[in-house]
Amino acid sequence: MKILLVDDSNVESAVLSTYIKHLGAIPLCARSGAEALDMFAREQPDMVLLDVVLPDFSGHEVARRIRAMETSGNWTPIIFVTSQTRDEDVEKGIAAGGDDYIYKPVSQILLTAKIRAMHRIVQMRTSLVVLARKLDSANQELLRLSSSDGLTGIPNRRFFDETIEREWRRCQRVSKELALVMCDVDHFKAYNDAYGHQAGDECLRQVAKALKLSLDRGGDTVARYGGEEFVFILPETSAGGALIVAERARHAVMSLGLPHTESSFGVVTVSLGVASAVPDVNNYGSTLIQAADQALYQAKHAGRNSVYRHLPDNATPK
């Protein structure tokens, strides 16, 4: 343990250094406030023993600057060692960032006891910080797991429901378009029947990966909507932009080349429906979902492996 000792008296400094060494700690001696701050930054001591009266500026100012230098989550105990004994002096020292107060002349027994007590506090605090970080990490992992689809690893329906609601409100505030792309694996039941459910699960994993890789903007998301259905959330994206994303996704899945003997295309393909809107008080996110789903319906019943865009009264091919 390193203890920064700040005192301009050679005699006091020598005595306190001896006490510190008896504890098995290393004293780092500074004679002024400026020297103390420089040594604190360079040595990162475990504790500070600080006189109030220094030749350049007060120990109170040193304490305040040390607290300003500490990084988030770090704390160094500061014990004032001074001949100022009024209650007001103690209050001022604590307010400046001190943690304890010892009067001169210093008793070795008292100083040793206070240093050990502060060291125990540091150890307990460190343990609590480590525990808090572990809990935070665990909570983050639980949140990730609760928002991820167990089969494909991409965001799940819960994540989609939360995100579409949030993005709907945000795009409404900024008067920007929000686009959705509904996606369905063509003839997936027939694929399961022909190749088995394990192959079907692997197919969904491969499709999900291809869909995710087809996105090139950080704010865009693809989630598993349910079964063999997926959905893209494309904030601040026009219908034209969403059509480009949908076509890229369609091509990415087809390029996987997963054999599908029950499909006229010979490989696994997807159909996609696109819808976009500028959110306002007269429409809702559910309306946009319904519009994208209608466009998907049109794509599936027009031969599949295609992209359709929803229009107010009907859906037309891209």
Side-chain angles (χ1 to χ4, degrees):
M1 178 170 60
K2 295 187 294 186
I3 299 178
L4 175 59
L5 172 58
V6 188
D7 198 312
D8 63 337
S9 168
N10 291 331
V11 175
E12 293 283 355
S13 183
V15 171
L16 294 178
S17 291
T18 300
Y19 294 166
I20 291 170
K21 289 177 182 177
H22 283 166
L23 276 170
I26 301 172
L28 306 171
C29 299
R31 298 287 185 265
S32 67
E35 186 181 1
L37 293 173
D38 178 68
M39 195 170 291
F40 180 85
R42 186 175 66 252
E43 298 290 342
Q44 295 294 297
D46 302 290
M47 197 176 302
V48 179
L49 301 181
L50 178 60
D51 193 5
V52 172
V53 180
L54 297 170
D56 45 4
F57 43 83
S58 73
H60 297 143
E61 180 62 22
V62 173
R64 281 191 286 268
R65 295 192 189 186
I66 285 176
R67 292 298 180 224
M69 292 166 65
E70 289 176 328
T71 57
S72 177
N74 291 327
W75 168 70
T76 307
I78 298 174
I79 302 176
F80 279 105
V81 183
T82 178
S83 57
Q84 297 180 356
T85 60
R86 298 179 306 164
D87 290 348
E88 293 84 353
D89 297 324
V90 176
E91 180 187 26
K92 189 174 181 180
I94 300 302
D99 301 295
D100 206 341
Y101 216 87
I102 301 177
Y103 302 132
K104 292 180 179 180
V106 178
S107 159
Q108 181 177 0
I109 294 175
L110 180 62
L111 179 64
T112 299
K114 286 187 176 287
I115 289 177
R116 284 175 173 164
M118 281 294 173
H119 186 56
R120 282 199 301 270
I121 293 172
V122 169
Q123 289 178 318
M124 287 187 292
R125 183 182 182 278
T126 301
S127 297
L128 288 173
V129 169
V130 170
L131 178 60
R133 287 174 178 168
K134 287 181 178 178
L135 287 173
D136 182 64
S137 178
N139 287 332
Q140 291 295 325
E141 180 63 12
L142 285 174
L143 179 61
R144 185 190 69 80
L145 290 174
S146 69
S147 299
S148 297
D149 177 59
L151 176 64
T152 63
I154 66 173
N156 59 15
R157 176 65 179 271
R158 174 183 174 181
F159 180 89
F160 167 78
D161 290 339
E162 293 173 352
T163 303
I164 187 64
E165 182 178 347
R166 183 175 63 251
E167 288 297 337
W168 183 270
R169 292 195 302 268
R170 189 183 67 81
C171 287
Q172 181 176 333
R173 288 195 303 271
V174 298
S175 298
K176 297 289 187 178
E177 277 188 271
L178 175 63
L180 286 186
V181 179
M182 298 294 293
C183 173
D184 184 83
V185 180
D186 296 327
H187 302 295
F188 186 70
K189 183 180 182 304
Y191 186 94
N192 262 340
D193 292 340
Y195 297 94
H197 290 287
Q198 286 187 336
D201 287 347
E202 180 59 26
C203 171
L204 290 177
R205 281 191 284 266
Q206 293 288 332
V207 169
K209 182 178 179 180
L211 296 178
K212 183 178 179 180
L213 291 175
S214 71
L215 295 175
D216 58 5
R217 292 195 318 174
D220 295 342
T221 303
V222 61
R224 189 179 180 194
Y225 194 69
E228 68 272 24
E229 281 193 306
F230 300 87
V231 59
F232 292 85
I233 305 175
L234 310 174
E236 299 187 28
T237 303
S238 66
L243 285 170
I244 293 173
V245 172
E247 181 57 38
R248 188 163 61 234
R250 186 194 67 79
H251 180 74
V253 173
M254 193 172 183
S255 296
L256 291 172
L258 299 176
H260 191 347
T261 57
E262 303 303 309
S263 169
S264 60
F265 300 101
V267 295
V268 171
T269 59
V270 291
S271 300
L272 304 103
V274 172
S276 66
V278 178
D280 60 40
V281 295
N282 298 316
N283 55 21
Y284 303 94
S286 58
T287 306
L288 185 61
I289 296 172
Q290 184 179 12
D293 196 53
Q294 289 175 356
L296 173 60
Y297 178 85
Q298 290 290 330
K300 288 163 65 176
H301 285 268
R304 293 182 167 82
N305 191 25
S306 60
V307 176
Y308 268 58
R309 172 189 173 187
H310 179 268
L311 294 178
D313 297 320
N314 62 350
T316 58
K318 61 180 175 47

